[in-house]
Amino acid sequence: MEEKIIVESPGRINLIGEHVDYNGGSVLPASIDKKIIIELITIDGDECHIESSSLKKAFKLNLKKISKSKIQWENYIIGVVYNLLVLKNLKLKAFKCKIDSNLPIGAGISSSSSLICGIISGLNYLNNLKLNSNEIIDIVSDVEHSFIGLMGGIMDQFTIINGKKNKLILLNCQNRNFKYINSNFKQYKILLINTNVEHNLADSLYNQRVKECKEGLDIINKKYKKYKYLVDIEEEVLYEFKSTLKEKIFNRILFVIQENKRTHDSANKIGQSKLKEFGKLMYKSHHGLKELYEVSCEELDFLVDFSSSYNEVIGSRMMGGGFGGCTINLIEENFVDNFIKTISIAYLKKFNMRLDAFQINIDNGVTVKKNNEF
Ligand code: GLA
């Protein structure tokens, strides 16, 4: 019998702890109320029909003949099916799938992990595969690494799967221990500002950062032979290598060690409602991402600098992989509208390009709605 479900898969923000997930560090993300909506229906036969109304594209996929596509977005779905059918040897029914979204693509709020998480969660339900959260998180990583070619960490998928309304997640990416923290920002709101800079090169530059971190870790371990991840290295130990490491590699490691500390400090500050102090850590994080990790760009820097001249914006920094995408800002609620007007004009004047600004709320992670629930 035909069965229909609707999967709502959110994007994610990250308050702080950038580029530390693949270095064994801690992050402070949350799932949000901007989502990808996937309607999935089981059908007879071997041919699946996939349609994206946001991209205005469609394709067919035969379950008996699965191979990578030259069209990248198709691989997000093909990669999942390949993993489940071929690598895990599970049984899948053919399906019809309609994808709609109000999640901006390529804006550093994880639209790609959201799509993969949503498809897996839906197929998991429809085929009664009984995959648990950790297994789903691992499948997403596998699809991203081997089908998409992005050597990302686990922050995005972990958040999309485990997110909770009004909760931040303090996640240790080394052992997946986590705790929920209340996201009470009082009179402040979270505002995302999208540079609308497309980061075509981002994937390769992102992977380059992953490689540089590994190179640094290997050099330090030649002497110490005990560090599994960069975040485990003490700052004093790193300084012993100041003259032997390439300056660029030294800077990458210094950033990772400092950013990881900032995540823990931030969780404490938020817990104690010291929001202005947390905001200062956001600015410091941006400074490190720009100067030491070198993943920012002119447009992101402009937005952060501009924000820093307003007392009402208590924190601002680039968010996600970088090289474009969004800044995340903590801003007084009654200043939001004014601020959006002012910064939009300034941005247009400087770059002859429009920005998009939108407030977000922290919402539940991926949910599957069955026939009687919609
Ligand atoms: C991307 C990756 C994440 C993480 C961030 C940077 O979003 O998918 O795993 O590394 O960049 O913090």
Side-chain angles (χ1 to χ4, degrees), residues 12 14 16-23 27 108-110 112-113 144-145 150-157 173 206 210 255 259 289 293 295 317-322:
R12 65 102 191 89
N14 185 23
I16 203 156
E18 219 62 88
H19 283 276
V20 295
D21 61 346
Y22 54 87
N23 286 308
V27 293
I109 45 183
S110 206
S112 47
S113 293
E144 286 185 350
H145 293 184
L150 185 73
M151 303 314 286
I154 61 156
M155 169 170 76
D156 302 355
Q157 48 269 45
C173 299
Y206 181 98
V210 178
F255 168 78
E259 180 75 353
L289 287 157
Y293 217 71
V295 288
R317 57 174 210 89
M318 58 147 275
M319 189 182 72

Side-chain angles (χ1 to χ4, degrees), residues 54-177:
S54 26
L55 295 176
K56 298 193 174 50
K57 286 186 176 145
F59 72 102
K60 289 180 188 156
L61 168 66
N62 191 313
L63 292 180
K64 294 255 154 69
K65 281 183 257 160
I66 299 167
S67 58
K68 232 183 213 177
S69 166
K70 291 201 177 77
I71 303 169
Q72 187 69 323
W73 82 272
E74 297 181 0
N75 284 324
Y76 291 96
I77 290 112
I78 301 173
V80 171
V81 172
Y82 179 82
N83 186 295
L84 299 176
L85 268 184
V86 181
L87 300 183
K88 302 234 160 19
N89 215 1
L90 297 166
K91 286 207 163 45
L92 291 187
K93 294 174 202 148
F95 58 89
K96 235 175 23 192
C97 164
K98 275 193 198 156
I99 304 165
D100 203 354
S101 169
N102 60 15
L103 197 58
I105 294 169
I109 45 183
S110 206
S111 56
S112 47
S113 293
S114 172
L115 177 57
I116 304 175
C117 285
I119 296 283
I120 301 178
S121 303
L123 295 181
N124 189 29
Y125 178 81
L126 283 177
N127 296 282
N128 199 19
L129 302 178
K130 300 197 167 66
L131 298 166
N132 64 32
S133 305
N134 270 323
E135 288 169 318
I136 295 181
I137 290 163
D138 290 335
I139 297 172
V140 182
S141 295
D142 180 68
V143 173
E144 286 185 350
H145 293 184
S146 46
F147 253 79
I148 311 297
L150 185 73
M151 303 314 286
I154 61 156
M155 169 170 76
D156 302 355
Q157 48 269 45
F158 190 98
T159 310
I160 293 163
I161 298 293
N162 293 302
K164 262 202 177 115
K165 195 176 170 84
N166 297 331
K167 303 279 181 195
L168 307 172
I169 304 176
L170 176 61
L171 165 67
N172 178 329
C173 299
Q174 217 169 107
N175 51 24
R176 300 192 188 181
N177 287 342

Side-chain angles (χ1 to χ4, degrees), residues 100-277:
D100 203 354
S101 169
N102 60 15
L103 197 58
I105 294 169
I109 45 183
S110 206
S111 56
S112 47
S113 293
S114 172
L115 177 57
I116 304 175
C117 285
I119 296 283
I120 301 178
S121 303
L123 295 181
N124 189 29
Y125 178 81
L126 283 177
N127 296 282
N128 199 19
L129 302 178
K130 300 197 167 66
L131 298 166
N132 64 32
S133 305
N134 270 323
E135 288 169 318
I136 295 181
I137 290 163
D138 290 335
I139 297 172
V140 182
S141 295
D142 180 68
V143 173
E144 286 185 350
H145 293 184
S146 46
F147 253 79
I148 311 297
L150 185 73
M151 303 314 286
I154 61 156
M155 169 170 76
D156 302 355
Q157 48 269 45
F158 190 98
T159 310
I160 293 163
I161 298 293
N162 293 302
K164 262 202 177 115
K165 195 176 170 84
N166 297 331
K167 303 279 181 195
L168 307 172
I169 304 176
L170 176 61
L171 165 67
N172 178 329
C173 299
Q174 217 169 107
N175 51 24
R176 300 192 188 181
N177 287 342
F178 71 102
K179 69 176 186 195
Y180 291 111
I181 295 184
N182 286 335
S183 65
N184 180 1
F185 293 116
K186 296 183 172 166
Q187 75 268 38
Y188 300 102
K189 287 277 165 200
I190 298 170
L191 179 72
L192 301 187
I193 305 183
N194 189 355
T195 55
N196 285 325
V197 171
E198 294 216 4
H199 44 210
N200 292 337
L201 273 179
D203 294 358
S204 61
L205 289 173
Y206 181 98
N207 290 346
Q208 205 183 77
R209 293 296 175 279
V210 178
K211 253 168 76 188
E212 288 164 353
C213 288
K214 179 160 186 325
E215 185 183 328
L217 183 66
D218 287 348
I219 293 174
I220 292 178
N221 268 335
K222 275 204 182 114
K223 178 167 177 200
Y224 282 101
K225 300 187 176 54
K226 65 170 186 183
Y227 298 110
K228 202 159 170 220
Y229 294 100
L230 279 190
V231 294
D232 299 331
I233 298 168
E234 298 78 7
E235 217 170 298
E236 314 80 76
V237 171
L238 172 64
Y239 273 93
E240 285 176 31
F241 293 85
K242 178 110 175 88
S243 56
T244 39
L245 286 169
K246 285 181 216 149
E247 192 188 358
K248 181 176 79 178
I249 304 285
F250 177 87
N251 287 345
R252 306 291 190 250
I253 306 177
L254 183 60
F255 168 78
V256 168
I257 297 172
Q258 293 178 341
E259 180 75 353
N260 189 47
K261 287 196 190 119
R262 278 191 286 266
T263 306
H264 293 282
D265 288 350
S266 297
N268 288 334
K269 300 288 180 209
I270 293 171
Q272 298 161 0
S273 290
K274 293 184 175 160
L275 298 178
K276 287 198 174 154
E277 288 178 35

